[in-house]
Amino acid sequence: MAASATKAHPRFGGVTGSIARCVGAGAPRRAVEEWLAAVDVRLDGARPWDPRIRDERVFDRLFRDGTLGLGEAYVDGWWDCDQLDEMVSRVLRAGLEVGFRGWRAALAAIRAWIGNQGRRSRAFEIGRRHYDLGNDLFAAMLDRRMTYSCAYWKDASDLDAAQEAKLDLICRKLSLRSGMRVLDIGCGWGSFAIFAAQRYGVQAVGVTVSEEQRRLAEARGRGLPVTFRLQDYRDLAEPFDAVVSIGMFEHVGAKNYRTYFDVVRRCLRAGGLFLLHSIGGPTDSVAGDPWISRYIFPNSHLPSVRTLCAGIGNAFVIEDWHNFGADYDRTLLAWERNVVTQWPALRHRYDQRFLRTWRYYLLSCAGAFRARRNQLWQLVLSPDGVAGGYASIR
């Protein structure tokens, strides 16, 4: 659950005050009970979204370390919840998490504000710590093309179809044609580049900061006009007819947005289009969720509408802005089901603690999208504006 430095939600300001009074009186459990009652969640209740407490120390940990401590306590087995995603969604819809920040989250925010989490010296850290965890894990979790971003469920009934629909949607938004040269910044395991080469006849170059991704993408794209590189986006300086970036922008960092868009602009030929696919957050925060940043995506940061537009500046014209963030809820639940189903084949490499970490990541994020706290944006950008206007595609 995302931590925030903003003030308490106005509908529940009294709840936050009662929490403070109960904590001062030495009753942290009672404080949390009052806090959750406002969203119809009961400690040790009978509904699937009611958390079951295994260790009473969880309450002190929550008040000491905020949502970071709450996630750590879940991984430690101090509490459980059959429908964790729904519990998180109820809390976030009401804005109740803002009363729990913790000193470690505050320190991380200060460090992010002073430093530059997306600087060049850290470019490959996310690859080593997350995307290189193991191709077996991601192959078990994702669709058959290994597409690690929000699927498009508009006319789809399963994950494979929804991911293919998303890839085809992007190709149509970019008006891809045979012979075009396309750049994929943050190409993952090559799903988009391979799809675009197979279905639309393009030549594609994909860049990633993960050696495991590059290696598997090369194997999967053998025989097609696709090339995959281990490369920082800042080193790109060659012409392309179209550029796409799917689920990579969350690793750029707000202090590097202008550099990022300048790189894309210098690589995009006149008349070309750029599609940016990114998660978006509700506030102009300087750091990501403390638990996600520590255990899942180091140095991650979600753009807000304001910070994203400030980064784009006058480098591009925004031709289209499509929000289908509600589809990420369903995507994350499909990934979580796949991990649980495939766990017998994975447990020889990943322990039970890893499974709890991974399920907390997927289910808590599903709850954040269900609450519409997080969004999924696809922007179509052009260097100088499409003559006569751009026709939006859905």
Side-chain angles (χ1 to χ4, degrees), residues 111-131:
R111 287 173 175 168
W113 182 74
I114 295 174
N116 182 355
Q117 293 176 294
R119 62 182 179 270
R120 182 183 288 271
S121 63
R122 289 185 172 180
F124 293 87
E125 183 179 350
I126 183 61
R128 291 189 298 269
R129 290 181 53 186
H130 185 85
Y131 298 109

Side-chain angles (χ1 to χ4, degrees), residues 50-118:
D50 291 331
R52 298 185 303 279
I53 306 305
R54 310 292 192 191
D55 191 319
E56 292 291 320
R57 292 178 296 171
V58 66
F59 303 111
D60 288 330
R61 194 168 185 177
L62 172 61
F63 284 104
R64 184 185 71 239
D65 297 329
T67 54
L68 173 61
L70 184 68
E72 291 175 336
Y74 179 86
V75 174
D76 288 341
W78 290 12
W79 66 281
D80 276 303
C81 186
D82 292 336
Q83 203 173 347
L84 175 63
D85 48 310
E86 180 59 20
M87 188 201 82
V88 170
S89 176
R90 287 168 177 258
V91 168
L92 293 183
R93 276 200 303 267
L96 295 188
E97 87 289 354
V98 299
F100 298 92
R101 192 155 185 260
W103 68 270
R104 288 196 290 175
L107 181 59
I110 292 171
R111 287 173 175 168
W113 182 74
I114 295 174
N116 182 355
Q117 293 176 294

Side-chain angles (χ1 to χ4, degrees), residues 207-268:
V207 298
T208 176
V209 293
S210 164
E211 175 56 31
E212 289 295 303
Q213 286 186 334
R214 186 202 62 78
R215 181 174 58 81
L216 186 55
E218 280 192 343
R220 292 163 65 90
R222 192 167 291 123
L224 292 169
V226 293
T227 302
F228 299 101
R229 306 173 184 166
L230 190 69
Q231 186 177 21
D232 183 2
Y233 72 90
R234 280 164 282 226
D235 294 327
L236 290 163
E238 54 193 284
F240 293 90
D241 299 302
V243 179
V244 64
S245 186
I246 308 170
M248 173 271 181
F249 193 69
E250 301 88 336
H251 304 308
V252 170
K255 294 183 178 181
N256 307 294
Y257 286 174
R258 191 54 193 261
T259 297
Y260 176 90
F261 287 109
D262 285 346
V263 168
V264 175
R265 177 70 190 253
R266 80 185 180 208
C267 289
L268 191 58

